[in-house]
């Protein structure tokens, strides 16, 4: 939404101005613009209000903060992450204002565990997904506080295993999804230096499969399209860390995995004839795999390191997708617009002071 020119304020000032000198051509021009304006207005009103999505997500918001998977359900951190990202993608004031930031802050504080982790829901399990979901929604909506994440990065580091990847909790096996969550959270918290990045890189590069071209989630497992993002998405994050210490030997045109091989696996092996994308040939399509295979494809197509950016598109040029933000996995524009909107709203501390003075 936010990337569309026609939803920008003052867009209609772009209309042709004939300086009151009506000619046959200028009248034609105005006529065409009138009909186009009708279409744009329809699009703007449909997309900007998105009443059904916003109302649905509003109904999923729990009175005690956070979002459930559906209306009247208990709040869950994964559903909260999905709901906040969906509202940020819609990107209108109405969508942003669905989020009760004060209650969200209270919910995150309630999920926080004494050792620094976050449980997924009341009476639920605590694992590295919780830390990622909490850190993303807190940073996107400007309710992040140091206190809220006290001890979180140290707890995350207990999850990096002897293999180099991260497990869901300490003592378990390294896994693509948990590794992305761990590393992205360390970057949000500014604590990426704690990570053994060389061990992580060695583990991550060895998860891309030689024949298939896609990634496996764990050592000795089969290829799966969704790991195109969970594993492939690690490389922009690793690059961001390495470029600060090793910018001379680090490539400035490619991520440290075979981008062409991953694109071929996704384009040739993971698409279904009726639309949607899959784990591997023989599996059924679903929204989860469609989302994460496309996100992985976008990562494989776009390199952006420091001031340098380049595009590597396998096959036809029309295969190109929009670049995604490497930490939040939504379009870069959506993240920028959300930061702009929420940074003008009071912080959690200020909200607490307001509530205190009103009581
Ligand atoms: Zn999968």
């Amino acid at each position: 939404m936010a990337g569309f020119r026609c939803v920008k304020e003052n867009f209609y000032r772009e209309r042709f101005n004939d300086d009151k000198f009506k000619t046959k051509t200028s009248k034609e021009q105005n006529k065409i613009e009138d009909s186009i304006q009708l279409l744009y207005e329809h699009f703007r009103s449909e997309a900007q209000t998105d009443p059904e999505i916003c109302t649905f997500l509003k109904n999923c918001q729990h009175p005690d903060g956070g979002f459930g998977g559906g209306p009247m359900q208990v709040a869950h951190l994964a559903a909260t992450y999905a709901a906040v990202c969906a509202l940020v993608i819609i990107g209108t004031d109405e969508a942003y204002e669905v989020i009760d930031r004060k209650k969200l802050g209270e919910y995150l504080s309630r999920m926080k565990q004494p050792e620094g982790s976050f449980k997924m829901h009341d009476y639920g399990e605590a694992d590295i997904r919780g830390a990622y979901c909490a850190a993303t929604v807190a940073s996107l909506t400007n309710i992040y506080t140091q206190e809220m994440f006290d001890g979180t990065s140290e707890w995350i580091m207990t999850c990096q295993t002897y293999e180099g990847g991260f497990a869901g909790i300490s003592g378990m096996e390294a896994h693509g999804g948990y590794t992305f969550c761990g590393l992205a959270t360390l970057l949000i918290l500014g604590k990426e230096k704690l990570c053994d990045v060389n061990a992580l890189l060695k583990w991550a590069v060895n998860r891309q499969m030689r024949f298939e071209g896609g990634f496996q989630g764990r050592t000795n497992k089969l290829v799966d399209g969704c790991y195109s993002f969970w594993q492939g998405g690690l490389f922009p994050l690793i690059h961001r860390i390495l470029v600060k210490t090793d910018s001379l030997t680090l490539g400035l045109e490619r991520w440290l995995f075979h981008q062409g091989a991953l694109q071929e696996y996704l384009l040739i092996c993971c698409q279904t004839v009726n639309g949607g994308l899959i784990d591997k040939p023989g599996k059924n399509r679903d929204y989860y795999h469609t989302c994460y295979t496309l996100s992985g494809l976008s990562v494989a197509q776009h390199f952006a390191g420091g001031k340098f950016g380049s595009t590597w598109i396998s096959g036809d040029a029309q295969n190109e997708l929009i670049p995604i933000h490497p930490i939040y996995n939504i379009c870069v524009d959506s993240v920028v617009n959300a930061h702009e909107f929420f940074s003008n709203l009071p912080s959690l501390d200020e909200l607490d002071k307001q509530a205190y003075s009103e009581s």
Side-chain angles (χ1 to χ4, degrees):
M1 252 296 293
F4 284 98
R5 201 172 60 103
C6 66
V7 299
K8 298 252 160 73
E9 251 177 73
N10 304 328
F11 168 66
Y12 292 121
R13 282 193 196 160
E14 303 292 324
R15 284 186 58 123
F16 173 67
N17 180 356
D18 60 7
D19 295 327
K20 300 193 178 83
F21 294 105
K22 305 270 185 217
T23 64
K24 201 172 172 187
T25 313
S26 76
K27 281 182 198 159
E28 279 298 301
Q29 174 71 26
N30 284 329
K31 228 161 84 183
I32 291 167
E33 286 188 347
D34 283 345
S35 62
I36 288 174
Q37 179 161 346
L38 282 176
L39 289 170
Y40 276 141
E41 272 170 5
H42 180 70
F43 174 81
R44 285 162 68 104
S45 64
E46 285 264 300
Q48 286 200 315
T49 50
D50 253 334
E52 285 181 24
I53 299 177
C54 290
T55 310
F56 173 73
L57 291 172
K58 205 173 198 166
N59 291 336
C60 293
Q61 189 162 222
H62 195 278
D64 293 333
F67 292 78
M72 314 286 286
Q73 294 185 19
V74 294
H76 190 285
L77 263 175
T80 301
Y81 162 72
V84 169
C85 284
L87 291 162
V88 165
I89 290 169
I90 294 169
T92 59
D93 290 4
E94 189 198 357
Y96 295 144
E97 282 159 7
V98 167
I99 304 164
D100 185 334
R101 297 164 64 243
K102 190 170 182 313
K103 289 282 181 193
L104 179 59
E106 289 168 11
Y107 170 63
L108 295 181
S109 300
R110 205 167 75 240
M111 294 303 106
K112 175 83 184 296
Q113 299 299 288
E115 77 279 11
S117 66
F118 285 79
K119 57 186 176 183
M120 298 303 287
H121 58 93
D122 282 318
Y123 310 109
E125 72 285 12
D127 61 43
I128 210 163
R129 292 172 304 157
Y132 173 69
C133 294
T136 48
V137 298
S139 58
L140 277 172
T141 61
N142 185 31
I143 58 164
Y144 175 96
T145 64
Q146 289 270 320
E147 192 190 351
M148 193 185 276
F149 292 92
D150 191 28
T152 302
S153 48
E154 291 76 10
W155 178 82
I156 288 173
M157 283 315 301
T158 67
C159 301
Q160 188 168 21
T161 80
Y162 71 94
E163 284 192 281
F166 289 69
I169 54 171
S170 174
M172 302 300 281
E173 187 184 4
H175 173 283
Y178 294 136
T179 303
F180 179 85
C181 289
L183 189 63
T185 310
L186 288 176
L187 278 155
I188 294 173
L189 303 181
K191 295 291 176 66
E192 64 275 13
K193 278 190 182 159
L194 294 176
C195 173
D196 182 345
V197 73
N198 289 331
L200 171 62
L201 178 62
K202 187 178 174 194
W203 179 79
V205 293
N206 282 294
R207 302 286 70 75
Q208 186 168 28
M209 306 190 75
R210 294 175 67 94
F211 176 70
E212 298 89 326
F215 284 90
Q216 60 185 182
R218 288 177 275 159
T219 307
N220 288 329
K221 296 285 279 184
L222 301 176
V223 70
D224 179 345
C226 67
Y227 292 107
S228 307
F229 175 73
W230 298 121
Q231 305 285 27
L234 287 172
F235 290 90
L237 306 183
I238 291 172
H239 210 96
R240 194 186 272 201
I241 298 169
L242 288 180
V243 82
K244 289 182 187 158
T245 54
D246 191 20
S247 56
L248 289 177
T249 53
L250 201 62
L252 292 173
E253 289 183 330
R254 295 260 191 169
W255 304 127
L256 293 169
F257 72 96
H258 198 309
Q259 293 167 241
L262 179 62
Q263 291 184 54
E264 283 177 31
Y265 175 67
L266 293 170
L267 292 168
I268 298 169
C269 309
C270 291
Q271 299 196 74
T272 59
V273 265
N274 297 322
L277 289 104
I278 54 172
D279 159 348
K280 60 176 79 53
K283 297 277 185 179
N284 290 327
R285 60 185 172 168
D286 57 63
Y287 285 125
Y288 167 79
H289 284 91
T290 302
C291 168
Y292 288 102
T293 48
L294 288 174
S295 303
L297 184 60
S298 175
V299 170
Q301 290 176 339
H302 300 282
F303 173 87
K307 294 175 195 153
F308 304 95
S310 50
T311 305
W312 298 91
I313 311 296
S314 291
D316 198 287
Q318 70 178 11
N319 290 337
E320 183 175 355
L321 303 179
I322 296 173
I324 53 160
H325 190 287
I327 286 177
Y328 299 103
N329 186 24
I330 52 180
C331 292
V332 178
D333 276 359
S334 304
V335 176
V336 172
N337 292 334
H339 278 315
E340 206 174 287
F341 180 87
F342 289 112
S343 64
N344 288 320
L345 298 184
S347 67
L348 207 54
D349 284 346
E350 288 161 347
L351 283 172
D352 282 341
K353 276 181 204 150
Q354 272 176 18
Y356 183 74
S357 64
E358 282 164 14
S359 65

